[in-house]
């Protein structure tokens, strides 16, 4: 049935059988959320049990008692929060009674002793304390709030909430469960909900069923929530909570809503609120029926604590998260950990969150805005772990996308985004398919190149927000000492590299304000004069563009001159993310996407092949990854000039934008492995080599990528400066013997290669296996340059 207004929809919901509603609700949920079922790993902080309301079903609210503190002290709050942080929680849920100071002298006296006039004022201070000292993200449920109170809490919380519970005024009259509870007047609660929308606060609300309301009144409440959300877009979740009778209350003997009543309400909420809304049913209040709740249309289990009880429903223990994950998987869904602020709000944190909170959310989230699922980060020595596989089936849509990619067809952006979002069994399917394709295209040979990295200067006048390597215009105090290698030192390193078996020199550096195109030409000539057999792999598209401009040449003419001077290939760096919306934030003065592609196109036209790269895991999203891969695929189809694709995960430790709270901690390990696998599928059949960066991924991480579609281990490097400056701990050289040992441990065959993926002479291989210890490098201080001829 199609309904066009609230009245018709309400009547249809009231008349339709449950078995008709549930499949419709389930389909709607799947349209908006796919296979994911989320929850928030939280710690429950009951700031005070005092409350001026006397709801007839509540055991949370208590009267003041002699010898019992009216409020948790700051030390108590921190103790609970720290226990939650140690257990891996991301949310600190503050629950408290409504404005007890308006009823109890004891509350006013306790607040005065704590240095506050109001309960919400003290709550704001405690949220700030927890945010500052533990990093947990506070979520506050303090009841009715004024505009000023919501605004104050917004500075120190990730989200706020108030349960609407019901629109029934009857429940506030004598005999009703809300009689004597001034804060439960429906219009007042709607006013708080509306104020939160005006202040752009991610907000939680919901209804409580079985407290004397009618089904029609439930639907009226859900329609009211929908109306306010349509105006402000701030309702991030709606809870359907079933009443549980509790001893010692006026409703101790009242009937609880049965399962069908709960399922009907959940399905109705989904059909009223739509496919995108997050609809939650607390799992501890409905044990043993998780598959039925999922079938009714929920997509979220709410907050689940491994540390603290549900203080509102202490008789109902939380399910173990491992068991919740298993039962969710048995129902065909995948359990994911979210933050207290839902992904769509986390991804637009500059709109919805205060700056300090937005920075914390960014650091705690993955590319989809969910909570990071591991402690690993690129460049760190933390051992990576592959995601657990619980689901028994693969999403048919994922299989269809994989089949299309393996067939060589160009994927669309949403299809690539879907592959990047895979988890659990879907993730396993993508990585397995990518590795099967790797085997078909490249066999069981894993290649690597013996090379030396030479970063000839760290002085740069560009201001890329991710770079911890560049030192600005000779500023001694900016992230370490600047240097500018003498030509003699570059040549010395080249000769030493040749003696150690290298076939390639990879040269890149900052954009020195005194460098010209002649500088780059002179470097090539000097190396070729000293080591004629060395392949020069040098100069990113940014350096090429800058060098051409200083000589008044076109990019093509300058590339032709570099080729004549001895340049063999170009590294495809400075690409970062080929999405200008992201580039405007991380490297606004750098090449645009079109300019980078034009340099690569020009190089390919001259017979200069290039690598291609991506730097990912900072502030971009998977849609940017998809745009990037498609841009490379399309250019490769046009020119055929890319030799390989190299994913470069963002190393965060010393990166300026991370230190300023404007970036994530690099990709998660799942995302890093997927980047290699999805690239294999998306770039097929044009780019046949997928390289993994041992400098950033580490040997264990690189090994995982070699089992997920990658077929190349990159270069031995001998020296590495850029990732090391950013904080990587994986060293500067991966000798050939160690590379081959790692490759053989995977049951694969190692092979040394040239830069262009050809064979190397036996003499080169033998020299690489008996390499002498490297001599100390000399970092020449900055100097006024003479033009190199």
């Amino acid at each position: 049935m199609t309904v066009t207004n609230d009245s018709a929809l309400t009547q249809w919901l009231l008349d339709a059988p449950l078995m008709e509603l549930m499949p419709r609700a389930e389909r709607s949920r799947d349209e908006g959320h796919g296979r994911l079922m989320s929850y928030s790993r939280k710690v429950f902080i009951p700031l005070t049990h005092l409350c001026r309301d006397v709801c007839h079903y509540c055991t949370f609210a208590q009267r003041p008692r002699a010898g019992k503190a009216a409020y948790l002290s700051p030390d108590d709050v921190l103790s609970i929060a720290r226990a939650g942080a140690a257990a891996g929680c991301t949310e600190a849920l503050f629950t408290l009674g409504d404005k007890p100071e308006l009823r109890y002298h004891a509350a006013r006296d306790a607040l005065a002793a704590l240095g506050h006039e109001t309960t919400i004022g003290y709550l704001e201070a405690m949220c700030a304390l927890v945010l500052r000292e533990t990093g947990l993200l506070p979520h506050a449920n303090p009841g009715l709030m004024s505009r000023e109170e919501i605004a104050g809490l917004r500075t120190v919380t990730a989200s706020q909430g108030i349960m609407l519970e019901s629109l029934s005024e009857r429940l506030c009259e004598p005999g009703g469960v809300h009689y004597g509870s001034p804060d439960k007047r429906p219009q007042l609660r709607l006013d708080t909900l509306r104020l939160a929308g005006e202040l752009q606060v991610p907000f939680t609300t919901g209804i409580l069923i079985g407290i004397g309301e009618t089904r029609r009144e439930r639907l009226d409440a859900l329609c009211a929530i929908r109306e306010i959300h349509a105006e402000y877009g701030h309702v991030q979740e709606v809870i359907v909570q079933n009443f549980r009778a509790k001893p010692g209350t006026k409703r101790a003997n009242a009937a609880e809503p049965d399962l069908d009543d709960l399922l009907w309400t959940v399905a109705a909420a989904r059909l009223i609120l739509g496919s995108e809304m997050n609809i939650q049913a607390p799992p501890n209040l409905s044990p043993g029926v998780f598959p039925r709740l999922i079938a009714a249309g929920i997509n979220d289990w709410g907050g689940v604590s491994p540390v603290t009880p549900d203080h509102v429903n202490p008789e109902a223990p939380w399910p173990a998260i491992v068991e919740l994950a298993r039962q969710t998987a048995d129902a065909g869904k995948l359990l994911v950990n979210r933050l207290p602020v839902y992904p769509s709000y986390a991804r637009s944190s500059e709109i919805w969150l205060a700056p300090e909170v937005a920075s914390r959310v960014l650091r705690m989230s993955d590319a989809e805005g969910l909570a990071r699922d591991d402690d690993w980060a690129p460049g760190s020595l933390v051992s990576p772990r592959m995601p657990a596989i619980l689901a028994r089936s693969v999403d048919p849509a994922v299989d269809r996308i994989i089949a299309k990619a393996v067939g060589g067809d160009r994927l669309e952006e949403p299809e690539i985004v879907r592959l990047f979002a895979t988890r659990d069994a879907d993730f396993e399917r993508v990585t397995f398919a990518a590795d099967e394709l790797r085997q078909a295209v490249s066999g069981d040979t894993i290649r690597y190149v013996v090379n030396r990295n030479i970063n000839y200067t760290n002085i740069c006048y560009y201001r890329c927000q991710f770079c911890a390597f560049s030192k600005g215009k000779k500023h001694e105090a900016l992230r370490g000492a600047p240097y500018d290698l003498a030509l003699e030192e570059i040549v010395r390193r080249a000769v030493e590299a040749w003696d150690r078996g290298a076939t390639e020199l990879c040269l890149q550096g900052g954009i020195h304000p005194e460098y010209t195109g002649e500088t780059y030409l002179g470097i090539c000539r000097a190396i070729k004069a000293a080591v004629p057999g060395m392949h020069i792999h040098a100069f990113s598209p940014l350096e090429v563009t800058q060098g051409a401009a200083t000589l008044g040449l076109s990019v093509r003419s300058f590339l032709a001159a570099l080729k004549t001077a001895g340049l063999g290939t170009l590294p495809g760096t400075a690409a970062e993310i080929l999405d200008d919306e992201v580039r405007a934030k991380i490297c606004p003065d750098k090449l645009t996407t079109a300019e980078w592609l034009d340099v690569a196109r020009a190089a390919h036209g001259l017979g200069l092949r290039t690598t291609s790269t991506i730097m990912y895991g900072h502030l971009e999203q998977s849609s940017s990854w998809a745009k990037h891969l498609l841009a490379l695929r399309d250019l490769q189809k046009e020119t055929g000039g890319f030799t390989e694709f190299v994913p470069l995960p963002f190393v965060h430790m010393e990166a300026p934008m991370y230190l300023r709270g404007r970036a994530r901690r690099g990709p998660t390990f799942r995302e890093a492995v997927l980047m290699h696998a999805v690239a294999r599928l998306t770039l097929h059949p044009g780019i046949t080599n997928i390289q993994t960066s041992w400098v950033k991924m580490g040997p264990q991480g690189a090994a995982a990528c070699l089992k997920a579609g990658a077929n190349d281990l990159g270069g031995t490097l001998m020296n590495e400066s850029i990732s090391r400056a950013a904080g990587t701990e994986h060293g500067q050289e991966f000798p050939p013997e160690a590379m081959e040992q790692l490759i053989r441990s995977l049951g694969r065959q190692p092979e040394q290669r040239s830069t262009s993926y050809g064979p190397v002479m036996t003499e080169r291989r033998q020299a690489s296996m008996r390499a002498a210890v490297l001599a100390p490098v000399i970092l020449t201080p900055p100097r006024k340059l003479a033009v190199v001829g």
Side-chain angles (χ1 to χ4, degrees), residues 665-689:
R665 295 178 56 243
T668 66
F669 189 64
R670 178 187 61 86
E671 291 169 339
V673 173
L674 275 174
M675 180 59 74
H676 296 75
V678 175
R680 169 64 70 187
L681 294 166
T682 303
L683 299 175
H684 177 70
I687 299 179
T688 57
N689 298 302

Side-chain angles (χ1 to χ4, degrees), residues 277-300:
M277 180 56 71
N278 298 295
I279 295 178
Q280 174 195 133
N284 61 318
L285 301 185
S286 302
V289 295
F290 294 171
R292 300 293 306 280
L293 291 173
I294 292 172
I298 67 167
N299 69 289
D300 189 84

Side-chain angles (χ1 to χ4, degrees), residues 512-556:
H512 195 298
E514 296 173 0
Y515 276 22
T516 71
E518 281 298 328
T519 308
Y520 304 122
L521 291 166
I523 289 172
C524 290
R525 293 175 187 137
I527 291 170
K528 278 297 183 182
V531 196
M534 185 70 81
H535 182 98
I536 301 177
H537 179 65
F539 315 132
S540 72
L542 181 61
E543 290 161 290
V544 169
T545 302
Q546 184 256 359
T550 63
L551 299 181
L553 296 175
S554 68
V555 165
R556 182 180 176 84

Side-chain angles (χ1 to χ4, degrees), residues 113-158:
L114 291 165
H116 294 273
E117 293 184 1
T118 67
T119 297
I120 292 182
Y122 183 52
L123 170 66
E124 182 181 334
M126 292 303 95
C127 288
L129 180 68
V130 166
L131 182 67
R132 181 178 66 250
E133 296 295 328
T134 72
L136 294 180
L137 297 169
H139 172 85
N141 284 327
L144 294 183
M145 292 178 280
S146 68
R147 177 182 293 274
E148 293 72 22
E149 288 168 335
I150 295 172
L153 284 171
R154 188 183 190 276
T155 65
V156 292
T157 60

Side-chain angles (χ1 to χ4, degrees), residues 24-39:
R24 289 173 181 262
E26 189 171 25
R27 286 195 298 272
S28 177
R29 185 268 323 284
D30 289 348
E31 287 173 9
H33 301 279
R35 300 189 80 191
L36 300 188
M37 285 287 299
S38 55
Y39 80 102

Side-chain angles (χ1 to χ4, degrees), residues 317-510:
W318 303 113
I321 292 172
V322 171
E323 180 61 18
L324 186 64
R326 186 191 65 77
Q327 292 198 39
T328 301
D330 288 346
K333 300 299 179 184
L334 309 178
L335 187 69
V336 294
N337 187 10
R338 62 167 171 85
L339 303 173
V341 57
Y342 275 79
S344 62
Y345 299 88
R347 293 195 300 265
S348 302
S349 59
E350 69 280 2
I351 298 172
W352 294 101
L353 301 174
E356 182 182 353
V357 180
S359 294
R360 295 295 181 97
V361 166
L362 193 57
R363 291 178 174 182
M364 296 168 73
S365 64
D366 63 16
E368 295 173 74
L370 290 163
R372 295 180 70 90
D373 53 14
D374 59 36
D375 295 326
W376 178 87
S380 75
L381 296 181
V382 173
S383 295
R385 55 181 176 81
M386 294 294 281
I389 309 301
L390 295 176
R392 300 172 183 174
S393 63
V394 172
D395 184 351
V398 170
D399 269 331
R400 288 193 294 271
I401 297 168
I402 289 171
K404 181 178 177 181
V406 171
D409 293 335
R410 185 183 190 274
L411 299 181
E412 298 300 321
E413 183 181 319
E415 294 174 316
I416 300 170
V417 169
R418 178 66 188 94
L419 294 182
F420 276 124
T422 53
R423 297 168 186 267
D424 203 284
D426 296 343
F427 165 86
E428 185 179 55
R429 176 74 181 98
V430 170
T431 56
F432 182 76
D435 205 47
E436 281 191 317
L437 184 57
R438 181 270 314 156
Q439 206 281 332
V441 170
S442 186
D444 285 330
T445 299
I446 295 177
R447 295 171 178 85
Y448 68 96
V449 62
V450 178
N451 67 347
R452 185 167 200 171
N453 223 35
I454 301 179
N455 304 118
Y456 37 75
T457 183
N458 61 358
I459 297 170
C460 185
Y461 62 79
Y462 282 82
R463 297 182 297 278
C464 300
Q465 298 301 301
F466 53 83
C467 183
F469 173 72
S470 69
K471 306 301 178 217
K473 297 181 180 180
K474 303 182 183 178
H475 290 178
E476 294 284 349
L478 183 61
R479 298 194 299 274
Y483 69 83
D484 177 17
L485 295 188
L487 191 58
E488 295 78 13
E489 173 64 9
I490 294 175
V491 170
R492 184 197 70 77
R493 295 190 195 183
V495 171
E496 185 180 35
W498 182 263
D499 292 342
R500 299 179 90 243
T503 58
E504 171 192 295
L505 280 186
C506 179
L507 297 108
Q508 297 176 93

Side-chain angles (χ1 to χ4, degrees), residues 460-472 478-479 509-511 540 542 573-577 582-591 615 618-619 650 654-658 660 662 722:
C460 185
Y461 62 79
Y462 282 82
R463 297 182 297 278
C464 300
Q465 298 301 301
F466 53 83
C467 183
F469 173 72
S470 69
K471 306 301 178 217
L478 183 61
R479 298 194 299 274
I511 306 300
S540 72
L542 181 61
T573 48
E576 325 311 354
I577 291 287
V582 177
R583 297 179 78 80
K585 297 176 182 177
I586 67 172
C587 51
D589 52 354
K590 221 166 184 176
L591 300 178
M615 186 195 68
H618 36 91
L619 54 78
F650 172 62
E654 300 297 331
M657 65 182 181
Y658 176 78
R660 293 172 187 147
R662 298 175 187 167
I722 296 174

